[in-house]
């Protein structure tokens, strides 16, 4: 699905956005449904039409802020986690949510694993749990080194990023035992981890305006590198303002990626040629989360306070919007070095 008028694309605002901070966005892998979680406890779902307009389709609630969501591979269910320590499952067919997971702390990340029945949840209670939706109790629980801040999967790889800057890697053929643990190469707090859409590695974003590219196999470690981004002023200048990298999203077709941050900006990058592909105009507020749709023709981003300056830094006119950016091939395709 492509938004019309690719010659002069303009970002389109999603109708009926959440009334509080937007914590996560997720596109269905089989249709044009977009889901968002919010600090007002809600999970909302829209359908993106062919002209880029949106139609609100469903809404359900957690009992505390909703923090994360992801669609099942077949697009029939949406899983979400929140500060109510619960994982909830929304069935598109029945329109009903049910609870499937429980932690002792907020669920900050979740991902579907190996088909339609297994969901992995990561929590501030310092555990990673695997749930079979056909059973009441978790099939496995793994102790993490600290609170989970971000997690992602691709193929058999699951990567968990923790509050102590530890990065834990799991192979889903043996999901209860990490095959590698490392300290983040970035010196400051981890904000996001995202697996390459081509496999073999992941990217880490931190609060200090840096991104690290990491390959999972030690023999490929010569390809690891980090770079500065989301800074006002020259990146190398001592007096440059530094902003958090809130989102890293890999393009599903080309393997290039987008970063979005507290500075209100987003940029497209090519990790293989180490090039900046496209810088977009900054928004008037932080971009708290972002994602590509299933074929990479739309980049959705949330303009919303990200709590990077605490509750005292929240603007009085705290408007929250979700924007759809039509992705032009020339802006996202890899370029030769």
């Amino acid at each position: 699905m492509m938004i019309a008028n690719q010659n002069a694309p303009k970002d389109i605002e999603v109708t009926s956005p959440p009334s509080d901070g937007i914590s996560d966005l997720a596109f269905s892998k089989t249709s044009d449904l977009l889901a968002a979680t919010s600090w007002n406890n809600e999970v909302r779902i829209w359908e993106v039409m062919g002209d880029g307009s949106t139609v609100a389709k469903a809404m359900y609630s957690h009992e505390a802020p909703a923090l994360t969501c992801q669609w099942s591979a077949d697009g029939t269910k949406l899983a979400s986690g929140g500060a109510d320590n619960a994982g909830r499952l929304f069935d598109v067919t029945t329109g009903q949510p049910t609870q499937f997971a429980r932690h002792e702390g907020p669920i900050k990340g979740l991902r579907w694993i190996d088909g339609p029945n297994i969901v992995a949840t990561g929590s501030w209670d310092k555990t990673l749990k695997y749930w079979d939706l056909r059973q009441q109790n978790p099939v496995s629980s793994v102790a993490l080194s600290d609170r989970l801040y971000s997690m992602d999967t691709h193929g058999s790889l699951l990567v968990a990023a923790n509050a102590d800057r530890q990065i834990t890697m799991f192979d889903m053929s043996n999901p209860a035992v990490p095959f590698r643990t490392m300290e983040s190469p970035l010196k400051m707090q981890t904000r996001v981890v995202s697996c390459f859409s081509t496999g073999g590695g992941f990217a880490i974003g931190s609060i200090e305006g840096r991104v690290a590219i990491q390959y999972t196999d030690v023999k490929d470690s010569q390809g690891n590198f980090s770079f500065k981004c989301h800074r006002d002023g020259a990146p190398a200048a001592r007096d440059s303002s530094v902003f958090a990298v809130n989102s890293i999203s890999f393009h599903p077709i080309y393997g290039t990626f987008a970063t979005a941050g507290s500075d209100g900006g987003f940029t497209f990058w090519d990790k293989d040629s180490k090039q900046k592909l496209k810088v977009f105009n900054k928004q008037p507020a932080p971009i708290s989360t972002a994602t590509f749709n299933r074929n990479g023709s739309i980049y959705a981003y949330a303009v919303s306070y990200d709590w990077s300056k605490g509750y005292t830094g929240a603007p009085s006119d705290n408007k929250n919007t979700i924007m759809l950016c039509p992705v032009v091939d020339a802006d996202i395709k890899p370029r030769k070095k």
Side-chain angles (χ1 to χ4, degrees), residues 190-317:
T190 303
R191 193 74 161 183
V192 61
V193 65
S194 181
C195 292
F196 301 166
S197 58
T198 52
F202 53 91
I204 308 165
S206 76
I207 62 170
E208 58 167 333
R210 286 181 188 264
V211 168
I213 300 296
Q214 293 286 307
Y215 289 87
T216 53
D217 199 321
V218 176
K219 68 178 175 59
D220 297 325
S221 61
Q222 70 275 5
N224 297 344
F225 68 96
S226 61
F227 63 94
K228 298 175 182 178
C229 53
H230 298 284
R231 297 174 178 225
D232 281 346
R238 288 182 178 271
D239 60 348
S240 64
S241 296
V242 179
F243 298 88
V245 179
N246 290 331
S247 172
I248 301 174
S249 307
F250 282 88
H251 193 273
I253 308 299
Y254 297 125
T256 49
F257 66 99
T259 62
S262 291
D263 60 341
F266 63 97
T267 303
F268 292 170
W269 309 84
D270 182 351
K271 66 177 174 59
D272 297 327
S273 64
K274 298 183 180 180
Q275 290 189 75
K276 184 185 295 182
L277 299 176
K278 173 82 171 182
V279 180
F280 293 82
N281 293 332
K282 287 187 178 178
Q283 301 300 310
I287 297 177
S288 57
T289 182
T291 189
F292 287 105
N293 71 335
R294 57 189 165 130
N295 62 11
S297 64
I298 302 173
Y299 180 69
Y301 60 94
V303 183
S304 178
Y305 185 56
D306 60 359
W307 303 101
S308 58
K309 295 182 180 180
Y311 76 94
T312 57
S316 56
D317 57 340

Side-chain angles (χ1 to χ4, degrees), residues 20-245:
D20 205 344
I22 300 162
S23 52
D24 202 8
L25 293 172
F27 272 109
S28 169
K29 298 174 177 63
T30 62
S31 68
D32 300 312
L33 294 178
L34 171 66
T37 55
S38 171
W39 282 79
N40 68 354
N41 305 1
E42 293 178 353
V43 183
R44 293 183 177 231
I45 299 171
W46 301 263
E47 182 177 3
V48 182
M49 312 308 287
D51 61 357
S53 63
T54 49
V55 178
K57 302 296 285 187
M59 187 274 286
Y60 66 95
S61 293
H62 282 253
E63 295 175 3
L67 302 176
T68 182
C69 62
Q70 195 192 37
W71 291 92
S72 61
D74 63 6
T76 63
K77 295 178 178 64
L78 178 74
S80 60
D84 55 355
N85 307 346
R88 302 186 188 276
L89 192 69
F90 181 81
D91 189 312
V92 173
T93 304
T94 65
Q96 296 299 313
T98 55
Q99 183 174 338
F100 73 91
R102 169 63 62 180
H103 278 262
E104 296 303 313
I107 295 175
K108 185 59 173 66
L110 56 76
R111 290 294 184 266
W112 293 80
I113 304 294
D114 190 29
N117 294 312
I118 307 295
V119 179
T121 56
S123 171
W124 291 350
D125 68 4
K126 305 180 184 180
T127 65
L128 176 71
K129 294 183 179 182
Y130 299 94
W131 305 84
D132 187 326
L133 300 180
R134 297 161 295 189
Q135 302 176 19
Q136 188 172 2
N137 296 315
V139 293
S140 181
S141 180
V142 182
L144 300 173
S145 58
D146 208 329
R147 291 157 292 155
L148 181 122
Y149 276 1
S150 181
M151 63 185 283
D152 199 17
T153 56
H154 183 274
S156 62
L157 173 68
L158 185 150
V159 183
N162 304 328
D164 57 359
R165 296 177 40 252
Q166 290 294 308
I167 308 294
T168 311
M169 293 165 249
F170 298 85
D171 187 323
M172 291 300 95
S173 63
N174 187 17
V177 180
F179 72 85
R180 187 181 170 199
T181 299
M182 58 174 277
E183 186 175 86
S184 169
L186 306 180
K187 295 179 181 179
M188 298 295 179
Q189 182 188 101
T190 303
R191 193 74 161 183
V192 61
V193 65
S194 181
C195 292
F196 301 166
S197 58
T198 52
F202 53 91
I204 308 165
S206 76
I207 62 170
E208 58 167 333
R210 286 181 188 264
V211 168
I213 300 296
Q214 293 286 307
Y215 289 87
T216 53
D217 199 321
V218 176
K219 68 178 175 59
D220 297 325
S221 61
Q222 70 275 5
N224 297 344
F225 68 96
S226 61
F227 63 94
K228 298 175 182 178
C229 53
H230 298 284
R231 297 174 178 225
D232 281 346
R238 288 182 178 271
D239 60 348
S240 64
S241 296
V242 179
F243 298 88
V245 179

